[in-house]
Amino acid sequence: MKCRKCKDKAVINMRHHKLALCKDHYLAWVLEQTERFICKYHMFTVNEKVLIAVSGGKDSLALWDVLLSLGYQVDGIYINLGIDAGIGYSERSLSMIRKFMETHGEAVLKVVDVPVTYGASITTAASRTHRGKGRPCSVCGLTKRHIMNRIAEEGGYDVLVTGHNLDDEAAVLLGNTLTWQTGYLARQAPVLPASGAGLVRKAKPFCRFYERETAAYALLAGIDYVYDECPHAVGAKSIYYKELLNTLEEERPGAKLQFYLNFLRARDEGAFRVFEEQVELNKCSQCGQPTSLVGLCTFCRTWQQVNSQSGNTQ
Ligand code: Q46
Ligand code: ZN
Ligand code: ZN
């Protein structure tokens, strides 16, 4: 197979785009496409300060590399969840990010250590609260969202970006569609504007790239990353939905992308507007972050419960 642009040997064939490219043209194509998505969805501009959540995985490191190459002002945040699972998962993730930084001199990283800052690892926290139900992802998601928003706000960042790819977005969309979670569907978008009382804008510049495309970018750009998924992801519904969508994609190349893009079109046409909740936000009496609750926010309530069970009064 030959590169469509220069006729050299192609390294990737994207059947859904009917496009095969060589290494150099593929790397350039990812940059061009990312720039196009950033502009199309009005995610951010070169004059704005961007904070990227990095996990040490391929998507976030590839995205950081792309945004730096495109000339954006983008700093990283790594949240050390204290997940060990016998493989030192969190520590390995951080060392991969440090390695990335050795070759990206301009990159600045902020690290928030959950066990040190809040008194317990995510695994321990989940075991001490009913939110965990044997799986730490609920406490983890809540904690990550709180920390990312806090750091973005404190650091004066205009936007928080994450490396979610098309496979992630399509899996979330499928899950929400199967159960008609209209409120969630109304809030799933490439960019979510800042909402008043301290919620920072969020954007997903890789949301239209297949997972194999971000993996190919990382590989071809020489970015080393953590291959393992978080050990707590095993058995997650999102993995099952990804498998279903992969089966569909095999039969019909482009089905995943069409599913997502047609959803975005329907969303733009107002199909979910009626479900957009106008929740009045209050300030948490402890951390000051926006919350729909009165008094403590869910994050502070959860961590209060976690620490009350350890005798830690923080
Ligand atoms: S990091 Fe956290 Fe994920 Fe691990 S504990 Fe679950 S939510 S699976 S993106
Ligand atoms: Zn080429
Ligand atoms: Zn709070």
Side-chain angles (χ1 to χ4, degrees):
M1 183 128 353
K2 294 196 163 145
C3 170
R4 186 199 286 175
K5 303 212 170 170
C6 70
K7 309 295 176 216
D8 264 6
K9 187 170 177 289
V11 293
I12 186 163
N13 179 26
M14 294 170 282
R15 287 200 295 167
H16 46 280
H17 293 312
K18 296 190 176 60
L19 179 65
L21 293 170
C22 69
K23 177 182 168 181
D24 289 351
H25 281 120
Y26 181 67
L27 292 173
W29 179 81
V30 171
L31 260 63
E32 284 160 24
Q33 293 295 306
T34 309
E35 182 78 309
R36 187 166 81 81
F37 303 150
I38 290 169
C39 296
K40 179 176 170 61
Y41 298 112
H42 307 290
M43 293 183 178
F44 44 85
T45 68
V46 282
N47 298 320
E48 291 186 302
K49 273 182 75 183
V50 181
L51 182 67
I52 181 170
V54 280
S55 65
K58 63 183 182 322
D59 300 302
S60 54
L61 289 182
L63 178 57
W64 202 1
D65 177 271
V66 166
L67 294 181
L68 288 170
S69 302
L70 289 170
Y72 289 102
Q73 312 169 48
V74 50
D75 296 344
I77 173 174
Y78 174 67
I79 301 175
N80 187 342
L81 302 165
I83 296 174
D84 184 80
I87 55 169
Y89 179 73
S90 291
E91 285 308 320
R92 271 174 55 197
S93 305
L94 180 57
S95 66
M96 217 45 109
I97 297 168
R98 299 252 186 246
K99 195 168 169 196
F100 173 92
M101 296 182 71
E102 283 168 18
T103 52
H104 294 74
E106 70 275 46
V108 173
L109 180 71
K110 294 164 188 284
V111 178
V112 176
D113 192 300
V114 171
V116 171
T117 314
Y118 300 105
S121 71
I122 283 297
T123 318
T124 306
S127 69
R128 290 187 193 153
T129 138
H130 56 82
R131 276 187 84 90
K133 287 188 196 139
R135 181 178 281 286
C137 296
S138 167
V139 176
C140 181
L142 170 78
T143 303
K144 287 193 292 192
R145 282 193 299 276
H146 170 93
I147 294 172
M148 289 189 293
N149 196 68
R150 175 172 70 77
I151 298 293
E153 232 216 335
E154 287 172 3
Y157 291 94
D158 298 288
V159 59
L160 172 72
V161 306
T162 52
H164 291 98
N165 59 42
L166 175 66
D167 293 50
D168 299 323
E169 291 300 295
V172 169
L173 177 58
L174 180 59
N176 288 338
T177 307
L178 287 173
T179 50
W180 288 113
Q181 297 283 346
T182 48
Y184 289 157
L185 288 167
R187 287 201 305 274
Q188 187 177 357
V191 62
L192 280 180
S195 62
L199 274 184
V200 174
R201 187 189 332 152
K202 298 189 182 72
K204 302 170 188 169
F206 270 2
C207 64
R208 289 178 55 164
F209 286 116
Y210 281 76
E211 189 173 328
R212 72 183 275 267
E213 293 166 359
T214 60
Y217 181 89
L219 193 77
L220 295 168
I223 298 168
D224 223 352
Y225 58 87
V226 178
Y227 291 85
D228 300 311
E229 291 260 6
C230 168
H232 296 303
V234 175
K237 269 198 191 136
S238 57
I239 295 184
Y240 174 61
Y241 294 145
K242 281 183 182 180
E243 285 167 3
L244 285 179
L245 287 163
N246 284 343
T247 309
L248 186 64
E249 182 79 23
E250 288 233 330
E251 297 273 320
R252 292 174 42 206
K256 216 183 283 184
L257 185 59
Q258 284 315 314
F259 178 48
Y260 182 61
L261 292 183
N262 285 328
F263 159 71
L264 292 185
R265 184 183 42 75
R267 197 181 174 279
D268 279 355
E269 288 169 0
F272 300 97
R273 202 157 292 151
V274 66
F275 303 112
E276 282 173 22
E277 295 169 22
Q278 296 300 332
V279 189
E280 203 178 306
L281 293 176
N282 308 304
K283 259 185 188 288
C284 168
S285 56
Q286 184 166 302
C287 71
Q289 287 221 38
T291 173
S292 55
L293 304 175
V294 176
L296 293 185
C297 70
T298 313
F299 170 86
C300 289
R301 285 169 202 241
T302 303
W303 279 89
Q304 203 173 57
Q305 190 188 0
V306 169
N307 287 314
S308 69
Q309 292 199 22
S310 70
N312 184 342
T313 51
Q314 188 207 336

